[in-house]
Each structure stands twice: as C-alpha cells, then as structure tokens.
Amino acid sequence: MPKEKFKEKVLTLVKMIPKGKVMTYKEIAKRAGYPRAWRAVGNILRHSAEFSQNHKNRNPKIPCHRVIRSDGKVGGYFYGTKKKISLLKKEGVIIKNQRVNYNFN
DNA sequence: GTCGTGACTAGCC
DNA sequence: CGGCTAGCCACGA
C-alpha cells in the first residue's frame, strides 16, 4: 500500500464521517491500512487544512473537526481547538470538560 | 538523501 | 486521574 494511497484513503475516510459522529485518529489510520500511522494522519489532515486555506475553496473540503483523539480529548485543529469543540457541539457530539463522548455504532 | 517536527497513542510512575 | 517517555509514520526543509 503506497503512502500516497494512504493519504488519499485517510482523507476519504474523514470525508465519510457522518454528521454528529466522530472518529479517532487511530481508527482512521487502521482503516487506511497503517494501524500505527496516527501521527501521519494528524500531519496529513493538518497539511490538508493548510492547503485548503491556501487554495480557498477550490479543493474538496474535509470535515477535519470530526477527528478526535483516542483519549477522549478533542485533539488539535488548524483553526483552533475551541472552534473544533464548538462545531462538534453544534453537530450533536457530547463534550464534557473538553472530553468527547465518542461512540462507534 | 538525512534530519527534525507534529492535529497521536499506549504504557509506566 | 495526571504527567512523562518512547515509539511510529508521513512531510517539508
């Protein structure tokens, strides 16, 4: 599995996350084929966001805010963690004391 | 080609 | 619980 494919897969998976739900970096990496590439996932997402901002809205927008950490913490966000939390709350995700109640079906 | 970095995780104290 | 440490992978300089 080439890494380029990995990146593509990661982005696709993130895009496939339904509204009101979240997914951990670990799970995404695992589904993408590299169970231990969570770090890279974060990097890719961040880079994607940067690219997105660079090219305004010319590229497929990715709901990076639906990606959280396995610890239950929200994690980071290119536009600010607070913004991420706000968005998640708006979508119906339960967040208590900066911790996310993530549940896969 | 090599090195440093990070939107992370699991394990140990 | 909370803090610290080592391990992992892609990306950019």
Side-chain angles (χ1 to χ4, degrees), chain A residues 25-89:
Chain A
Y25 292 95
K26 187 181 156 193
E27 195 62 24
I28 291 171
K30 193 175 183 179
R31 292 203 182 197
Y34 284 78
R36 298 185 215 72
W38 355 270
R39 286 246 213 196
V41 173
N43 255 337
I44 291 168
L45 260 50
R46 180 168 161 284
H47 211 264
S48 272
E50 197 175 353
F51 184 83
S52 177
Q53 196 177 39
N54 233 335
H55 291 245
K56 310 294 179 186
N57 51 351
R58 283 282 289 133
N59 78 312
K61 80 172 167 72
I62 299 153
C64 316
H65 62 276
R66 291 184 196 150
V67 187
I68 62 169
R69 306 196 359 173
S70 305
D71 303 27
K73 288 175 187 170
V74 200
Y77 192 50
F78 188 75
Y79 304 97
T81 307
K82 297 177 191 170
K83 190 87 180 171
K84 187 171 180 178
I85 294 174
S86 294
L87 286 167
L88 287 174
K89 273 190 178 179

